């Protein structure tokens, strides 16, 4: 299985257009050793020819342009992107669908909650009916069904499993205030040819026993790297909200919970990689002490253009 990191940043990317924090300003001035990052999305392939997009970032145009694997090959109009799977309905994960409007009808895989949000609060799919249109593939993760196995046509060797994870519906969602099963999923992708598994979860609010079991079964983890600390945004004067309130488990442990670093250390995955990194996160600075901590535990920080072969 091949994995392309198209974008490794959280919403707003890095540096964020309106942000003058130490990291954003430092990156702009060239004072930090820190790469710019687009908003998160990855592409997965079994054969290196056909690709599935996991989330569709608002930066999709730039992301496709800078990855030759995703360029048209045969014929006048063509794309190797055969399907899109959505992990949630957040703006930074779905608005790239509009950027695919010039192409063929989009084969779209998502939960009932996400299809609902994208036809009500943020009616992207209604809009797309006037362009390429979308073919809906419902992932039955809702109510008491917390996981669903599925296949994607053209990717015969890949076995996908969608897993309900704790999280929130987007701010614009009609049911923002009452969490529902299916608002957020993680994905486990196994290549039947060699049994290798990827666990992908760019927005993970909490790692319970179930999540830890799924993570322990993976060869590669590509998980929520949004915040280093619970009160990172508050301490930098950027926001009043904590990581928990925003639906992201920080990498550091806090008084009340284990952090993502310790969670990853408890697993045996060969690759442990962070994605969806917010502009406020000190791990963006390659010279930071936080980056040394990650290195000491064999944890990688993904970057735009990173390629992983499992
Ligand atoms: C900034 C943003 C922070 C940010 C927050 C979240 C909150 C939101 C919600 C996120 C993201 C970036 N870049 N989605 O101000 O620095 O309230 O539901 O997902 O990508 S979480
Ligand atoms: Zn986000
Ligand atoms: Zn910033």
């Amino acid at each position: 299985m091949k994995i392309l990191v198209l974008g490794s940043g959280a919403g707003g990317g890095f540096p964020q257009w309106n942000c003058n924090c130490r990291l954003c300003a430092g990156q702009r001035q060239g004072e930090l050793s820190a790469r710019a990052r687009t908003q998160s999305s990855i592409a997965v392939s079994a054969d290196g020819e056909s690709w599935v997009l996991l989330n569709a970032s608002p930066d999709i145009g730039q992301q496709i342009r800078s990855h030759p694997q995703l360029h048209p090959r045969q014929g006048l109009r063509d794309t190797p992107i055969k399907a899109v799977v959505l992990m949630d309905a957040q703006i930074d994960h779905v608005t790239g669908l509009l950027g695919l409007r010039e192409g063929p009808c989009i084969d779209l895989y998502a939960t009932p909650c996400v299809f609902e949000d994208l036809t009500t609060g943020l009616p992207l799919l209604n809009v797309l009916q006037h362009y390429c249109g979308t073919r809906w593939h419902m992932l039955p993760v809702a109510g008491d069904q917390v996981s669903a196995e599925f296949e994607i046509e053209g990717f015969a060797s890949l076995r996908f499993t969608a897993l309900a994870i704790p999280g929130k519906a987007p701010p614009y969602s009609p049911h923002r205030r009452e969490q529902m099963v299916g608002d957020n999923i993680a994905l486990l992708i196994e290549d039947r040819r060699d049994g290798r598994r990827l666990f992908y979860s760019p927005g993970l609010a909490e790692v319970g026993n179930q999540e830890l079991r799924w993570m322990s079964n993976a060869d590669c983890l590509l998980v929520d790297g949004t915040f280093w600390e619970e009160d990172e945004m508050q301490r930098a004067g950027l926001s009043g909200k904590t990581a928990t309130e925003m639906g992201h488990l920080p990498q550091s442990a806090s008084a009340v919970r284990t952090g993502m670093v310790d969670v990853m250390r408890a697993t045996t995955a060969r690759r442990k990689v962070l994605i969806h990194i917010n502009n406020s996160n000190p791990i963006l600075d390659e010279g930071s002490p936080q980056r040394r901590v990650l290195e000491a535990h064999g944890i990688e920080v993904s970057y735009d253009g990173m390629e992983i072969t499992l």
Side-chain angles (χ1 to χ4, degrees):
M1 175 174 5
K2 288 188 162 61
I3 301 153
L4 281 181
V5 176
L6 304 180
S8 54
F14 177 66
Q16 183 168 296
W17 66 282
N18 66 335
C19 192
N20 241 336
C21 77
R22 176 182 71 83
L23 294 163
C24 290
Q27 202 283 338
R28 285 188 201 100
Q29 311 306 318
E31 285 160 4
L32 288 182
S33 176
R35 300 176 183 238
R37 286 174 158 83
T38 61
Q39 298 169 80
S40 75
S41 167
I42 69 171
V44 172
S45 176
D47 58 7
E49 301 263 310
S50 303
W51 296 85
V52 186
L53 278 190
L54 306 190
N55 289 336
S57 157
D59 301 315
I60 195 166
Q62 179 187 342
Q63 294 173 345
I64 294 175
R65 235 170 262 126
S66 56
H67 287 87
Q69 299 93 326
L70 302 181
H71 292 176
R73 277 189 288 263
Q74 314 140 340
L76 200 49
R77 295 281 169 101
D78 177 50
T79 177
I81 298 171
K82 301 302 177 199
V84 181
V85 187
L86 300 176
M87 317 304 293
D88 56 49
Q90 296 279 349
I91 287 184
D92 54 331
H93 293 157
V94 302
T95 49
L97 290 172
L98 290 175
L100 297 174
R101 70 189 174 284
E102 297 88 355
C105 182
I106 303 167
D107 278 291
L108 189 59
Y109 294 75
T111 64
C113 281
V114 167
F115 278 117
E116 189 201 324
D117 284 345
L118 297 183
T119 46
T120 57
L122 178 63
L124 287 184
L125 304 184
N126 312 25
V127 174
L128 280 171
Q129 284 322 305
H130 303 278
Y131 298 86
C132 57
T134 52
R135 228 179 335 266
W136 293 19
H137 301 266
M138 198 65 79
L139 304 179
V141 176
D144 28 323
Q145 180 146 3
V146 297
S147 75
E149 264 189 42
F150 65 104
E151 288 186 3
I152 297 183
E153 207 188 301
F155 298 84
S157 77
L158 300 184
R159 193 167 65 107
F160 295 79
T161 312
L163 311 155
I165 52 167
K168 285 182 174 171
Y172 69 77
S173 169
H175 67 273
R176 163 78 163 178
R177 279 128 73 69
E178 5 130 28
Q179 279 187 37
M180 282 164 61
V181 170
D183 280 331
N184 296 81
I185 58 167
L187 217 54
L188 194 71
I189 309 176
E190 178 179 325
D191 192 328
R192 290 183 234 267
R193 295 171 301 180
D194 51 23
R196 303 238 164 98
R197 297 194 191 103
L198 164 70
F199 179 85
Y200 179 60
S201 184
L204 191 50
E206 221 177 281
V207 177
N209 289 333
Q210 191 58 254
E211 287 78 20
L212 193 59
R213 259 196 297 280
W214 291 110
M215 289 171 80
S216 302
N217 260 323
D219 299 279
C220 176
L221 303 176
L222 198 45
V223 297
D224 194 326
T226 314
F227 301 116
W228 178 256
E229 279 184 312
E230 176 67 10
D231 58 352
E232 174 179 314
M233 295 285 277
Q234 292 161 316
R235 295 217 295 189
L238 299 172
S239 159
K241 288 194 198 164
T242 63
T244 304
E245 285 164 348
M246 291 190 269
H248 298 287
L249 178 69
Q251 285 100 67
S252 300
S254 67
V256 290
R257 344 188 252 174
T258 311
M260 190 66 89
V261 167
D262 291 329
V263 168
M264 291 174 108
R265 286 177 65 197
T267 72
T268 55
R270 280 185 301 115
R271 304 283 300 264
K272 302 173 180 179
V273 188
L274 296 168
I275 192 165
H276 190 273
I277 302 147
N278 196 52
N279 71 84
S280 55
N281 191 331
I283 66 173
L284 287 165
D285 175 0
E286 289 161 24
S288 64
Q290 291 83 357
R291 201 60 179 252
R292 298 288 90 76
V293 171
L294 296 182
E295 279 160 16
H297 299 306
I299 298 172
E300 303 170 73
V301 180
S302 70
Y303 50 88
D304 294 17
M306 183 183 196
E307 297 186 16
I308 299 173
T309 303
L310 274 194

